[in-house]
Amino acid sequence: MKKHGTILLVVLAALALGGCNLYNGLVEKSEGADAAWSDINTMLQRRADLVPNLVSTVKGYASHEKEVFENVAEARAKLAGAKTPSEAAEADAALSGALGRLLAIAEAYPELKANENFLKLQDELAGTENRIAVARKDYNAMVKDYNASIRRLPASLVAGPLGFEKKDYFEPPAGSAVQIAPTVAF
Amino acid sequence: MPEPDAPPADKAKKPPNPHPVRRAAGQTLMVIGAGLLLHSCRPACRPAPGAPPRAAAAAQAGAFAGVVPPLEPGFVVDKAGAFSPAEHAALTNEIAALEAATGGGQMGVAVFTTLSGVPAADAALRIARAWGLGRAGVDDGALLLIATEDREVRLEIGLGWEGAIPDARAGDAIRAITPDLKAGDWGAAALGAVRQVRAAALGEPAPKRPAPEKKGETPIGAWGLFSLLAGFLLWAGTEPDPPPGRSSGPAPRSAGDLPSPPPFRPPPRPSGGFRGGGGGRFGGGGAGGRF
């Protein structure tokens, strides 16, 4: 009898320990994904901050291309209003498209292309886009890992009640009009 | 690791256990134990990640096909054979001087003929992360990647240097070395890039032309300081560790990391064993383009 009690105690202790490990593991993965998401957000913000400068520089040479400027402003506003990762990804892709057209204008203006400020802005923009791409890859990898682990047994039994929910990928929703644009080629 | 352990344990157990059941149980336990040991040791026993790719990389000499070659001492990995021995030496000196001047910042140079269609930014990030250029936590690393036949260049900047070297400054550096790249003067281009990074990291104005002003002066001074420091570290490091059996541990391992020795070896890194990058992180900052 006493022996059985000890065994039961050991089993319970093992279960409790395993449960703690499981929980801590999920928390860690969730935090990792959230941190990666805030990296993306920082970069999106940084890119949005670059846009007005870029637009005003291009305007100095090509003020009549109103439609392009409006598109950029609209896409930027949409990005600022995005809530979920997939909304943000969609808005970001739209902004990429609009910026691509803005930079294409520059091709027609040799003085603009040689403008030092414009060159620097292009560098910053390209660098920020590259960082977004890197952060997206890192974030999606973490989300994939996290989503897989909350669906795997035995975590799947407790993940729901404990408040671990599936996380969104940073990707435009399937069937959306915009896809992740290829990085702007200079 | 488990191999040397298992046989003595086997011998020790056999004589006092003549009982067949207990012996069987003991053997089963031992098998399980050995299995567990083997399992737990697997990551440690696995060959270094650089080992198998080396063969693959060697198969297609000069091309980057997604496999990151191991970092070489001197931090210059020239798969395209772009640098002359003298250029290689000058470059590793300049890189060592950069490390000394910035108090530990590491810059690597990787040259391939082609990137096999991998975007330069992707390739540079993968290489920079694999090498872990820059100190861990400080993340003061940089990587210059040149693809001679693709005519692509990328200067990747570690997270810790993104403030001192924003993308625009990295772009300036690339533009400064573009004439050399266009001319196919890879040595001058790489040397210029290292100088640009050094100046930017130290907050100095960008060097205008890669003029050989005090070229011979600074590296030697820096080297002297460096080897003095390293010599002290080496001396201090070996002092409290006299067992002769231990010293054979790290040395062959680091020697094994080296790929086939380059035709000319610059003054060896003074750290005794080559440790590779410091573990700096990269987030995709930098600039690049075609030339």
Side-chain angles (χ1 to χ4, degrees):
Chain A
M1 216 47 199
K2 199 182 163 195
K3 205 173 170 188
H4 282 142
T6 317
I7 289 172
L8 197 73
L9 215 70
V10 167
V11 167
L12 276 179
L15 273 179
L17 210 70
C20 283
N21 266 340
L22 195 74
Y23 180 80
N24 287 344
L26 289 181
V27 168
E28 212 163 278
K29 281 177 184 172
S30 174
E31 288 296 320
D34 289 348
W37 170 240
S38 81
D39 281 352
I40 294 185
N41 257 332
T42 310
M43 289 307 146
L44 290 177
Q45 184 58 48
R46 184 177 156 164
R47 187 189 195 196
D49 291 344
L50 286 171
V51 167
N53 260 333
L54 188 72
V55 167
S56 68
T57 306
V58 177
K59 259 185 188 164
Y61 294 83
S63 54
H64 53 278
E65 309 268 5
K66 288 213 169 57
E67 201 192 322
V68 177
F69 298 134
E70 277 164 18
N71 283 342
V72 170
E74 197 182 308
R76 181 172 178 263
K78 213 181 270 175
L79 181 59
K83 297 262 178 339
T84 66
S86 63
E87 271 175 37
E90 190 173 6
D92 179 55
L95 181 60
S96 291
L99 283 175
R101 284 188 288 282
L102 179 72
L103 292 172
I105 293 179
E107 291 299 316
Y109 299 87
E111 313 94 68
L112 172 58
K113 267 179 78 180
N115 179 307
E116 196 173 321
N117 194 30
F118 180 68
L119 284 175
K120 283 182 186 296
L121 281 169
Q122 267 193 334
D123 286 334
E124 293 289 345
L125 191 66
T128 306
E129 276 163 6
N130 192 47
R131 283 191 192 84
I132 293 172
V134 170
R136 181 179 69 220
K137 224 179 281 173
D138 292 348
Y139 169 78
N140 283 349
M142 285 194 173
V143 167
K144 188 177 173 194
D145 183 39
Y146 167 80
N147 282 351
S149 56
I150 62 168
R151 286 181 57 192
R152 225 179 271 140
L153 277 171
S156 58
L157 300 175
V158 293
L162 289 177
F164 290 100
E165 281 168 7
K166 199 164 162 262
K167 289 186 194 289
D168 265 358
Y169 287 104
F170 184 69
E171 264 165 16
S176 111
V178 286
Q179 290 302 318
I180 294 284
T183 36
V184 183
F186 300 117
Chain B
M1 201 190 204
E3 267 84 47
D5 276 8
D10 200 16
K11 271 176 201 155
K13 275 233 162 172
K14 256 175 194 166
N17 273 335
H19 205 277
V21 179
R22 276 173 72 179
R23 244 179 84 177
Q27 274 172 357
T28 315
L29 260 176
M30 266 160 54
V31 167
I32 292 173
L36 278 175
L37 210 69
L38 208 78
H39 184 78
S40 67
C41 129
R42 217 197 274 151
C45 296
R46 208 177 286 159
R54 205 186 310 153
Q60 233 195 351
F64 175 83
V67 183
V68 178
L71 182 57
E72 293 172 21
F75 288 42
V76 178
V77 176
D78 175 16
K79 293 291 178 195
F83 304 132
S84 71
E87 284 169 340
H88 197 285
L91 198 50
T92 51
N93 277 350
E94 195 70 34
I95 289 171
L98 165 104
E99 184 168 355
T102 57
Q106 294 177 329
M107 179 162 177
V109 174
V111 188
F112 297 93
T113 51
T114 171
L115 301 177
S116 316
V118 179
D122 283 4
L125 183 73
R126 230 184 291 170
I127 296 169
R129 282 186 169 176
W131 288 355
L133 295 166
R135 287 170 292 171
V138 186
D139 305 321
D140 47 355
L143 173 79
L144 176 74
L145 172 71
I146 301 175
T148 56
E149 282 171 17
D150 296 349
R151 307 199 78 73
E152 273 199 89
V153 62
R154 168 92 191 160
L155 180 60
E156 195 75 22
I157 302 296
L159 284 171
W161 266 350
E162 284 189 0
I165 316 173
D167 300 336
R169 184 74 191 259
D172 286 343
I174 292 293
R175 282 187 284 277
I177 65 167
T178 297
D180 288 327
L181 290 171
K182 278 192 169 145
D185 191 348
W186 315 118
L191 210 57
V194 178
R195 292 197 176 128
Q196 292 278 349
V197 166
R198 175 180 165 174
L202 294 175
E204 293 166 0
K208 277 283 163 252
R209 278 272 161 263
E213 336 134 35
K214 45 179 189 175
K215 184 181 159 194
E217 204 179 301
T218 323
I220 289 172
W223 266 111
L225 200 82
F226 215 63
S227 32
L228 207 74
L229 196 82
F232 171 75
L233 283 177
L234 209 70
W235 168 77
T238 45
E239 187 75 47
D241 202 1
R246 287 268 294 162
S247 68
S248 70
R253 191 187 65 84
S254 49
D257 278 350
L258 309 184
S260 50
F264 174 83
R265 194 86 63 81
R269 296 211 127 236
S271 45
F274 176 55
R275 299 184 315 277
R281 292 171 306 146
F282 287 77
R290 304 182 69 84
F291 53 85

